[in-house]
Amino acid sequence: MTGLVTAFGSGAMTNSFDDIADEAQVYFIIGSNTTENHPVLGMRLRQAVKQRNAKLIVCDPRAIPIADLATLHIRQKPGTDIALLNGIMHVLIAEGLYDKEFVAERTEGFEDLKAKVMEYPPERAAEITGVPAEQIVEAAHLLAENRPGALLYAMGITQHITGHQNVLSCANLQMLLGNMGVPGGGVNPLRGQNNVQGACDMGGLPNVYPGYQAVTVEAAQKKFEEAWGVPLSNQVGLTLTEMLPLAAEGKIRALYIMGENPMISDPDANHAEHCLRSLDFLVVQDIFLTETAALADVVLPGSSFAEKLGTYTNSERRVQFVNPAVPAPGEARPDWWIIGEIAQRMGYGGLTYASPREIMDEINQLTPSYGGITYDRIGQMGLQWPCPNADHQGTAILHIGRFSRGLGHFGAVDWRPPAEETDEEYPFVFTTGRVLYHYHTGSMTRRSEGLDAIFPEPVVEINAEDAARLEVVDGQPVRISSRRGTIEAEALVSPMTEPGVVFMPFHFAEAAANKLTIAALDPIGKIPQLKVCAVKVETV
Amino acid sequence: MTETVSITIDGQAIQARAGQSILEAATAAGIKIPALCHHPALKPIGACRVCLVDIAFERALHPACTYEVRQGIEVHTRSPKAEEARRFALELILSDHPLDCMTCERTGSCELQDLAYQYGIKESQFPGTQHEYALDTSNPFYERDYEKCILCRRCVRTCDEINGVEAIAVIQRGWDSKIGTAFDGIMQDSPCEFCGMCVEVCPTAALQPRLGKQQGRAWEVEKVATTCPYCGVGCQFYLKVKDGRILGVASKWDAPANHGWTCVKGRYGWDFVHHPERLTQPLIRREKGGELEEAGWDEALDLVAQRFKAIVKDHGPQAFGTLASAKCTNEENFAMQKFSRAVIGTNNVDHCARL
Ligand code: SF4
Ligand code: SF4
Ligand code: FES
């Protein structure tokens, strides 16, 4: 979420589901298959369109279900979002349709942005994106005429080599329209997993302590050293996508993994496996023997959401409880207890807590935005950060009247082609995503009877035109290969994807889509480019 | 400020909000009017006629669920005329309903059963042909028992007003009326997303989840509020629990992010919790290339601590990495990054947020 920090000073969803669902006059959805990946929000948007005639612009190469309801469905080529957004902004500026007052009072960098987007007249944007120029103009008009408008995006924006710039571009558009700091507006990244937001807020990142306090800032270092009673490093750490290759080089010797399955979720899975196997010592703490856990030297049984007390933070920054409903099976233990025990046995007593409530007390002390989010106050409705103290009611909408960083920053960005383009040998663009019935690496949904029954097998979506040319029929097994690996799956001949593009969900270990994807990283966000690579498709 | 109007219900003076129905105003004042086709999350349709009330100066009875309050109206919910009409409506419904409450999943939580109990209706006063339908078990999430359907259309309205895919409708006419998909096919071939909201609002056992069948009565089940383990919407709902096992999910209508709504994963995706492949013991690979073998906590934790210490000592803290988790709680993530930073001494901590 580095893009939003640069633009606004805070890297989270700016608005809340309620105001977005009830007050937006137009939705601009880009890189989010909302009804399948964030279904309840998808339902609410569907109702907004049906019941109060909100306008809906869907920008997605695939004919995703929510596009059925769209006022305008833009099918840009995968990896061309910046060109599209710059094209729309070109129209807004050239026709004087942007919010001049907002731009003058609340932002900086407008002249740079203007100079950049002037290089993207709709005709040029059309050429890059494959979208008719008239649609780009129409999108600009819909946005200008219907305010406030809410922009929503998900991994379809971030999982690109230009992920950071893609996000900046989204922020630019919403500032230009004056859609910031108002109900029904905002830039709203939808988090794929239920506690991505919380894991980031809690400092599960190599560059920041809890509450996004930079490890390189001396005052922060001092504060945490004092609280934890040990000297701390001021050197920014490595991301997962950096750690793995270093494991293969022998520079990373040990990994301690809690509840993640990089064997399936990481790009270039064959390489990821090689890296994990190179470690001296791998500890995995999880509730199932995942593909990653199967490689571990020690596997520690953790607890599921139904077995423990704690809090999750949803996409709209709301901290809510999970409660113990059933006992954990066998000897399984809460993850916080396991961590504390290991620390204790290594001679550090500062992680020995009696309960999650005690941990939250410490979070309240050390994390300014969580200062008032105590167990006594969370209650039935949760609390949305920032909530700095025990008298604060929480914050539903960020950046009202003022951005966290002061003025909103326009960051002019250029479109760049994806790291790997199609060629004669690998003529298809391969993109990945999720389906309604499964979740992430499938470790939970593949073990749910109903969900696995209704969507039991990996499929690869292919357009009818391509299928006919390759003489592939619906349901036929095909082999898909990239420069990095090969998998097999059933073909789903469908109008969902455009000719030249194939799509595959990544939930299935037996045909792990990430064996094909490329580990090229967005140099700033360090997010791999899972959304685009080049493949070939053959009959088996 | 919303406008208020003064009304009386059963002699009690009430300030109602303009635009409220009599049923809503009564409920807000703690007066219970029997109702069946109405559900607070849906728009009223006045179909079942169980909520009929007597309004002074109105000749006919009116459904309380659709009748908007007006200044000065005087409502009698239990007048003999209203009670008789209500009993008639219930008897009509029950005349075409199997009376097998003994084995019915909804005993104790069935709205029809509750009303039959209150009105002491034992058997139908209108003997005649009853519908005979086979149980529809064609989808993996829930069953539809047409014989128990009272055609209240809550499910149809839910599919329209909540999910929005409009997968089902009342198909056929008259005696043959039933709920179904456009061509009376299976749900999988319709736009249905199996969010289960129809099952949640069905007043009888006409719609019943497959998981948890015959495993617990309504009064044996404890409801524990929780947050969905799947996507970032953060829906809240109740887990229905009995004897240490989850039996199902119930909507939590005051939940801030989802207002009672769920999707298929939240509603039917919890059974992984009891999957036989759950890890129940620490596992240790005692030699490189060997198998993972069961171990006790002390052995596993001592081994981990000792190896971690050795690696930090031999290769320095930067040779170590930890992954926190987008599936674990805030407290656990806090503990994990603190472990990495304070115990190991490295900022090499990350999670799969980017993915
Ligand atoms: S299935 Fe249930 S909710 Fe739907 S009409 Fe029949 S009784 Fe009502
Ligand atoms: S119920 Fe569905 S929409 Fe709600 S949090 Fe769970 S997965 Fe997301
Ligand atoms: S509840 Fe009013 S008519 Fe059915």
Side-chain angles (χ1 to χ4, degrees):
Chain A
M1 295 303 136
T2 52
L4 293 186
V5 177
T6 312
F8 306 142
S10 174
M13 187 164 158
T14 61
N15 286 52
S16 298
F17 297 133
D18 275 358
D19 73 87
I20 290 171
D22 298 340
E23 296 182 56
Q25 297 305 312
V26 60
Y27 299 102
F28 188 86
I29 300 181
I30 183 163
S32 153
N33 180 0
T34 323
T35 53
E36 292 205 74
N37 295 345
H38 298 92
V40 166
L41 177 63
M43 293 178 202
R44 297 186 71 180
L45 301 188
R46 218 186 253 146
Q47 294 302 348
V49 173
K50 282 177 49 172
Q51 294 189 5
R52 55 176 189 83
N53 285 319
K55 301 284 181 293
L56 171 64
I57 305 172
V58 176
C59 308
D60 203 294
R62 294 171 69 222
I64 52 174
I66 198 163
D68 288 351
L69 289 177
T71 322
L72 176 65
H73 179 197
I74 290 178
R75 300 183 76 165
Q76 76 279 27
K77 283 188 206 146
T80 64
D81 303 306
I82 291 175
L84 173 66
L85 291 163
N86 278 352
I88 294 173
M89 287 188 274
H90 178 106
V91 179
L92 291 172
I93 295 177
E95 297 187 15
L97 298 174
Y98 65 100
D99 188 334
K100 296 174 195 84
E101 205 176 306
F102 186 91
V103 168
E105 280 169 16
R106 301 271 319 262
T107 68
E108 62 184 27
F110 175 69
E111 288 308 321
D112 291 345
L113 176 80
K114 184 173 169 182
K116 180 54 66 192
V117 304
M118 282 304 139
E119 297 168 17
Y120 290 82
E123 298 68 32
R124 175 166 177 235
E127 210 169 286
I128 300 170
T129 59
V131 175
E134 309 78 71
Q135 288 193 354
I136 295 173
V137 175
E138 191 189 342
H141 289 173
L142 275 170
L143 289 169
E145 284 157 19
N146 296 280
R147 309 222 199 138
L151 185 149
L152 301 118
Y153 70 81
M155 262 76 73
I157 274 288
T158 51
Q159 287 179 350
H160 287 281
I161 190 158
T162 55
H164 174 83
Q165 285 86 345
N166 285 357
V167 173
L168 282 182
S169 218
C170 291
N172 290 343
L173 178 65
Q174 284 297 67
M175 287 194 289
L176 202 56
L177 288 162
N179 278 335
M180 298 303 303
V182 290
V187 176
N188 300 289
L190 304 173
R191 305 309 206 144
Q193 301 180 71
N194 82 336
N195 206 30
V196 172
Q197 189 62 54
C200 293
D201 296 348
M202 291 301 105
L205 293 169
N207 57 338
V208 288
Y209 292 114
Y212 306 96
Q213 304 171 76
V215 297
T216 48
V217 169
E218 205 184 322
Q221 186 189 347
K222 284 260 146 59
K223 167 177 164 179
F224 282 90
E225 284 180 340
E226 208 159 285
W228 294 344
V230 288
L232 297 170
S233 163
N234 63 358
Q235 187 189 330
V236 171
L238 302 168
T239 64
L240 167 62
T241 33
E242 291 169 329
M243 284 183 228
L244 284 178
L246 288 177
E249 289 172 30
K251 292 191 178 130
I252 290 283
R253 298 285 183 147
L255 277 182
Y256 177 16
I257 298 179
M258 167 172 81
E260 298 278 18
N261 189 9
M263 272 280 290
I264 303 296
S265 63
D266 260 56
D268 198 354
N270 289 330
H271 181 64
E273 174 170 357
H274 166 72
C275 298
L276 289 168
R277 285 188 187 279
S278 314
L279 291 164
D280 288 355
F281 194 56
L282 173 62
V283 178
V284 176
Q285 187 167 309
D286 211 313
I287 61 171
F288 290 111
L289 193 67
T290 61
E291 293 72 17
T292 305
L295 301 177
D297 298 285
V298 178
V299 180
L300 302 171
S303 301
S304 82
F305 81 108
E307 294 145 9
K308 60 194 175 190
L309 177 64
T311 59
Y312 289 136
T313 305
N314 75 356
S315 278
E316 55 173 4
R317 297 169 276 105
R318 191 186 299 276
V319 181
Q320 310 185 102
F321 279 123
V322 282
N323 288 301
V326 295
E331 299 276 299
R333 293 278 184 274
D335 295 80
W336 57 268
W337 178 88
I338 304 172
I339 299 165
E341 281 295 310
I342 298 172
Q344 182 76 49
R345 286 162 209 247
M346 292 177 73
Y348 183 76
L351 272 157
T352 311
Y353 300 99
S355 71
R357 177 188 273 267
E358 265 185 35
I359 306 179
M360 188 54 99
D361 289 345
E362 188 174 327
I363 296 170
N364 298 149
Q365 298 296 317
L366 295 172
T367 314
S369 54
Y370 277 65
I373 304 183
T374 65
Y375 269 35
D376 290 330
R377 297 187 71 225
I378 293 170
Q380 296 293 309
M381 301 307 281
L383 276 169
Q384 287 176 282
W385 67 258
C387 175
N389 58 58
D391 299 317
H392 197 283
Q393 290 312 302
T395 309
I397 300 175
L398 299 179
H399 316 302
I400 295 179
R402 181 183 180 277
F403 285 100
S404 306
R405 73 183 289 279
L407 291 177
H409 177 75
F410 281 114
V413 292
D414 247 323
W415 170 76
R416 270 193 299 144
E420 186 177 77
E421 292 191 276
T422 54
D423 56 20
E424 246 164 62
E425 195 183 354
Y426 298 99
F428 285 96
V429 176
F430 182 76
T431 76
T432 64
R434 301 163 190 237
V435 298
L436 172 62
Y437 299 104
H438 288 291
Y439 172 72
H440 213 59
T441 68
S443 62
M444 303 184 327
T445 52
R446 296 294 306 283
R447 290 184 179 88
S448 167
E449 230 178 280
L451 297 174
D452 205 44
I454 199 150
F455 205 122
E457 277 174 359
V459 290
V460 55
E461 276 176 18
I462 180 164
N463 182 281
E465 227 173 82
D466 294 326
R469 199 163 35 77
L470 295 168
E471 295 180 3
V472 168
V473 297
D474 198 49
Q476 182 177 336
V478 292
R479 185 178 304 127
I480 315 127
S481 323
S482 75
R483 292 186 175 83
R484 291 154 295 277
T486 295
I487 56 179
E488 285 182 15
E490 255 181 36
L492 177 72
V493 178
S494 125
M496 291 277 279
T497 51
E498 296 221 90
V501 180
V502 291
F503 167 86
M504 214 178 151
F506 70 95
H507 317 286
F508 297 88
E510 63 271 41
N514 282 324
K515 285 198 173 144
L516 309 185
T517 52
I518 184 164
L521 294 187
D522 161 11
I524 303 170
K526 308 271 170 66
I527 305 179
Q529 180 182 301
L530 296 182
K531 288 296 171 197
V532 200
C533 72
V535 298
K536 64 180 166 198
V537 180
E538 301 156 304
T539 49
V540 187
Chain B
M1 253 338 267
T2 37
E3 220 185 305
T4 60
V5 293
S6 314
I7 62 172
T8 62
I9 301 180
D10 297 342
Q12 188 179 327
I14 286 167
Q15 292 296 312
R17 261 188 302 113
Q20 268 185 325
S21 67
I22 293 177
L23 184 65
E24 285 168 330
T27 309
I31 300 171
K32 207 163 162 17
I33 302 177
L36 209 45
C37 66
H38 183 61
H39 188 281
L42 302 171
K43 293 187 196 121
I45 54 165
C48 73
R49 309 195 69 75
V50 167
C51 69
L52 290 177
V53 289
D54 222 342
I55 303 165
F57 309 112
E58 288 265 21
R59 298 240 321 269
L61 299 171
H62 289 276
C65 65
T66 49
Y67 198 96
E68 240 178 66
V69 292
R70 270 190 264 144
Q71 179 63 31
I73 54 169
E74 209 178 284
V75 181
H76 300 280
T77 71
R78 305 283 169 167
S79 75
K81 199 164 123 194
E83 289 285 83
E84 195 189 318
R86 191 169 292 142
R87 167 181 292 276
F88 182 80
L90 283 169
E91 279 175 354
L92 208 58
I93 294 169
L94 282 160
S95 68
D96 189 13
H97 197 93
L99 302 178
D100 63 351
C101 298
M102 259 177 294
T103 51
C104 181
E105 277 300 321
R106 288 294 294 269
T107 279
S109 66
C110 172
E111 295 176 41
L112 182 61
Q113 187 188 51
D114 287 350
L115 287 169
Y117 170 74
Q118 281 164 36
Y119 284 82
I121 304 171
K122 261 196 180 152
E123 54 202 31
S124 164
Q125 303 302 305
F126 308 95
T129 22
Q130 290 205 349
H131 282 96
E132 277 183 40
Y133 289 111
L135 190 67
D136 175 1
T137 58
S138 58
N139 80 69
F141 300 105
Y142 59 83
E143 298 174 345
R144 186 183 287 277
D145 183 347
Y146 281 111
E147 294 182 359
K148 294 196 169 160
C149 176
I150 59 169
L151 290 174
C152 68
R153 283 183 268 160
R154 284 190 190 179
C155 54
V156 175
R157 289 179 283 151
T158 300
C159 200
D160 176 8
E161 295 172 31
I162 292 182
N163 188 307
V165 290
E166 301 174 45
I168 46 174
V170 181
I171 53 174
Q172 331 275 33
R173 293 272 171 96
W175 172 255
D176 292 326
S177 296
K178 64 171 196 167
I179 310 295
T181 63
F183 303 103
D184 202 9
I186 59 169
M187 296 310 296
Q188 289 90 318
D189 294 336
S190 78
C192 174
E193 295 175 339
F194 298 100
C195 67
M197 292 307 294
C198 55
V199 182
E200 170 73 33
V201 300
C202 179
T204 72
L207 290 170
Q208 217 23 68
R210 296 176 77 124
L211 288 169
K213 256 179 93 171
Q214 290 171 288
Q215 289 175 35
R217 287 301 195 188
W219 57 87
E220 300 172 317
V221 162
E222 189 199 345
K223 293 203 300 186
V224 183
T226 195
T227 306
C228 178
Y230 291 112
C231 86
V233 176
C235 295
Q236 291 212 299
F237 43 72
Y238 295 105
L239 291 175
K240 299 202 264 182
V241 175
K242 184 192 160 198
D243 298 337
R245 291 190 66 89
I246 304 172
L247 298 186
V249 157
S251 281
K252 187 171 185 296
W253 294 99
D254 63 353
N258 57 311
H259 305 281
W261 305 10
T262 65
C263 81
V264 61
K265 291 191 284 288
R267 188 159 296 265
Y268 299 117
W270 47 264
D271 52 327
F272 72 87
V273 168
H274 301 306
H275 196 279
E277 284 168 23
R278 278 290 302 271
L279 292 169
T280 57
Q281 280 264 293
L283 304 173
I284 290 180
R285 202 182 302 280
R286 291 198 167 81
E287 46 191 287
K288 271 279 173 209
E291 294 291 305
L292 283 167
E293 294 164 35
E294 291 195 348
W297 272 109
D298 273 325
E299 185 190 358
L301 292 168
D302 283 339
L303 174 69
V304 170
Q306 171 228 321
R307 294 282 282 143
F308 280 1
K309 267 205 285 199
I311 286 165
V312 174
K313 184 158 162 277
D314 295 347
H315 303 283
Q318 301 312 333
F320 196 99
T322 52
L323 287 192
S325 173
K327 297 199 223 26
C328 288
T329 64
N330 289 327
E331 292 77 0
E332 289 159 347
N333 279 295
F334 181 89
M336 195 56 154
Q337 59 86 34
K338 181 174 175 183
F339 178 84
S340 181
R341 297 187 158 114
V343 183
I344 304 292
T346 177
N347 288 314
N348 292 346
V349 51
D350 198 15
H351 64 285
C352 295
R354 296 181 177 77
L355 308 174

